[in-house]
Amino acid sequence: MALRDILILPDKRLRQVSKPVAKIDSAVKKLVEDMFETMYDAPGIGLAAIQIGEPRRVVTMDLSKKEDEKQPQVFINPEIVAESDEKSAHEEGCLSIPEYYEEVERPAVVTVKYLDLDGKVQQVEATGLLAVCIQHEIDHLNGVLFIDHISKLKRDRVTKKFIKAAKLAAKDAAE
Ligand code: GNR
Ligand code: NI
């Protein structure tokens, strides 16, 4: 296992559309291990492979509470096959946009089809935090960030802040 760097806004790789996994081989299994190590270390409740620079349609998640047993979940090539008309609002954050939180409205219930680590097709009707998180992660696979769902004013403000921070960090590194 290896701890990997998480890409931060405005890294352009976060806008890439990730490629489906054709075969769940040892490279995919290694990627999943690295994703869990990186996600738990962060700590975060979900991670898309592109957040560690791998444009593959792989998502890791663990929605268990700190004090409870771990519940690692893997979604390969996840797809939303149905969504409710009913919407739900939830405050979201993203490891690629650290320390920024904003309310996002999304379908309250989504049916997600995906492959498990054994390559078996699975389907889940997601509600609550699972629905929020899986939609947030599938967005990443399509190059979409949660700030794309908030007002342009707020999005422009946070984007500018991160562009400025990246410029300062690059300047400091050069000195
Ligand atoms: O750790 C995370 N928490 C979170 C909280 C509310 C809605 C979505 C998330 S996902 C986020 C980790 C992350 O950036 N995944 O892509
Ligand atoms: Ni995210």
Side-chain angles (χ1 to χ4, degrees):
M1 293 229 285
L3 189 58
R4 308 271 297 261
D5 287 334
I6 295 176
L7 306 186
I8 304 295
L9 189 76
D11 196 308
K12 286 192 169 59
R13 289 172 287 178
L14 290 168
R15 295 309 191 171
Q16 265 182 259
V17 177
S18 294
K19 292 253 183 334
V21 170
K23 185 167 176 282
I24 302 166
D25 55 14
S26 57
V28 171
K29 287 177 183 166
K30 168 77 168 66
L31 171 61
V32 167
E33 285 184 10
D34 288 358
M35 287 173 66
F36 274 120
E37 183 172 344
T38 305
M39 184 186 86
Y40 284 125
D41 178 79
I45 60 173
L47 194 73
I50 191 60
Q51 291 182 277
I52 58 166
E54 302 275 355
R56 318 287 303 272
R57 301 187 82 84
V58 177
V59 167
T60 56
M61 200 180 294
D62 192 328
L63 303 179
S64 64
K65 296 206 182 82
K66 250 183 278 169
E67 60 274 18
D68 292 345
E69 217 171 297
K70 281 184 181 175
Q71 282 169 30
Q73 289 182 272
V74 181
F75 301 86
I76 295 169
N77 301 341
E79 271 179 73
I80 294 172
V81 295
E83 61 182 45
S84 63
D85 290 333
E86 189 203 336
K87 303 284 193 281
S88 173
H90 197 282
E91 182 166 90
E92 297 195 19
C94 183
L95 294 172
S96 297
I97 313 173
E99 287 162 65
Y100 182 74
Y101 305 90
E102 197 56 63
E103 193 122 303
V104 176
E105 195 175 273
R106 299 181 184 272
V109 186
V110 290
T111 305
V112 179
K113 200 174 137 185
Y114 63 97
L115 299 178
D116 65 20
L117 259 190
D118 298 320
K120 211 177 142 220
V121 180
Q122 302 283 353
Q123 195 164 295
V124 65
E125 189 181 79
T127 62
L129 189 56
L130 177 60
V132 173
C133 199
I134 195 68
Q135 289 179 84
H136 176 116
E137 303 310 340
I138 291 172
D139 271 354
H140 274 302
L141 305 184
N142 296 324
V144 174
L145 300 172
F146 85 90
I147 54 170
D148 299 340
H149 298 291
I150 66 178
S151 75
K152 179 168 159 42
L153 183 74
K154 286 178 178 168
R155 179 168 61 254
D156 287 351
R157 200 188 285 150
V158 65
T159 304
K160 276 191 191 130
K161 189 183 140 188
F162 276 86
I163 289 172
K164 196 172 167 187
K167 279 184 183 151
L168 275 173
K171 180 171 156 280
D172 285 352
E175 275 169 4

